[in-house]
Amino acid sequence: MSSSETAFTEICARIAHAATQQNRDVKLLAVSKTKPAANLRLLAALGQRRFGENYVQEALAKQRELADLALEWHLIGPLQSNKCRETAEHFDWLQSLDRLKLVAPLARWRPPTRGPLQVLIQVNIDDESSKSGCRPEEIAGLAAAVAAAAPALHLRGLMAIPAPQADPDLRRAAFARMRGLFEALRREHPGVDTLSMGMSEDFELAIAEGATMVRIGSALFGARAA
């Protein structure tokens, strides 16, 4: 068994165990930023279909190289206004919507033949100046705008990258705050079903606090390239 297969099998087993404890389905998003397309092809051969990229141009190059595979592409990095058209045309999911001004161009450029762009609102849950994401009080306005942009856009839920904390109780508290925001959003928009949070070092804790999708990079691919 190759190292890639071993890592993938172990991660899937851990996700399945944590999800079973919560009686909830949890999806794996393989975070493939900085990794070559060949690495993604290896994981795809093992059954992985969802891949997350930070940069539009890097992702587009991989999409061209892997066009023979039926992969699902998620943009998880900050979205610049001048990348709205390429994002709308070439991605299946946008996990990092954080500003109202992005909604209209995304809806305008989404090709009807691709179906709706699946959208998560990114929340800056720990109010970090270095991170993207809206404030919790901005979620409602963003959600309403995305919902009004149907059928080009489809509101699916929330995403967050809490501040790194050595203390697991502090990480748990951030995840718990996200769960509260997610549940509030679901009350207003019953079709919402996705809470994307948790990474290689804390995904089991995130699942325990409500995650339905976890974003795993280094545990699958090894350390990020410099």
Side-chain angles (χ1 to χ4, degrees):
M1 185 179 290
S2 69
S3 58
S4 294
E5 187 172 359
T6 298
F8 180 68
T9 300
E10 290 179 352
I11 289 294
C12 287
R14 289 171 60 188
I15 291 172
H17 177 70
T20 298
Q21 290 183 317
Q22 302 301 320
N23 193 29
R24 183 191 319 122
D25 180 49
V26 178
K27 298 178 174 63
L28 166 62
L29 181 69
V31 176
S32 46
K33 58 186 180 183
T34 78
K35 300 301 178 181
N39 289 29
L40 282 66
R41 188 175 290 278
L42 287 173
L43 275 195
L46 299 174
Q48 179 63 23
R49 287 292 176 267
R50 300 179 185 88
F51 291 90
E53 293 283 332
N54 265 41
Y55 303 105
V56 172
Q57 294 310 123
E58 179 185 344
L60 294 182
K62 292 176 186 176
Q63 288 177 18
R64 289 190 292 270
E65 192 168 342
L66 301 170
D68 58 308
L69 303 176
L71 302 182
E72 182 178 285
W73 295 94
H74 295 232
L75 183 64
I76 60 175
L79 176 60
Q80 299 173 331
S81 298
N82 64 353
K83 297 297 182 182
C84 281
R85 180 172 184 173
E86 290 171 305
T87 299
E89 291 179 343
H90 297 288
F91 284 85
D92 301 294
W93 285 65
L94 169 64
Q95 294 209 13
S96 52
L97 181 73
D98 63 355
R99 304 188 305 287
L100 275 172
K101 72 175 185 178
L102 302 176
V103 175
L106 286 167
R108 182 170 66 251
W109 292 115
R110 183 64 175 178
T113 54
R114 285 189 61 98
L117 177 66
Q118 311 299 309
V119 176
L120 300 182
I121 295 169
Q122 181 176 354
V123 182
N124 189 342
I125 192 62
D126 287 317
D127 195 25
E128 295 178 271
S129 60
S130 61
K131 278 205 183 126
S132 301
C134 71
R135 297 188 300 273
E137 60 268 25
E138 296 172 321
I139 294 172
L142 275 168
V146 174
L153 307 181
H154 181 193
L155 178 66
R156 295 295 296 271
L158 302 177
M159 183 271 264
I161 308 171
Q165 301 283 358
D167 184 346
D169 287 339
L170 294 177
R171 293 193 187 201
R172 182 182 288 276
F175 290 143
R177 292 197 300 275
M178 281 302 303
R179 183 175 194 165
L181 294 171
F182 177 66
E183 290 173 348
L185 182 64
R186 290 182 70 181
R187 289 193 289 271
E188 295 298 319
H189 300 271
V192 160
D193 61 4
T194 302
L195 178 55
S196 173
M197 63 183 188
M199 297 185 287
S200 293
E201 68 279 3
D202 57 16
F203 68 87
E204 286 151 320
L205 189 60
I207 292 171
E209 289 298 333
T212 67
M213 182 180 293
V214 293
R215 306 182 307 275
I216 310 297
S218 59
L220 287 172
F221 295 104
R224 189 188 311 178

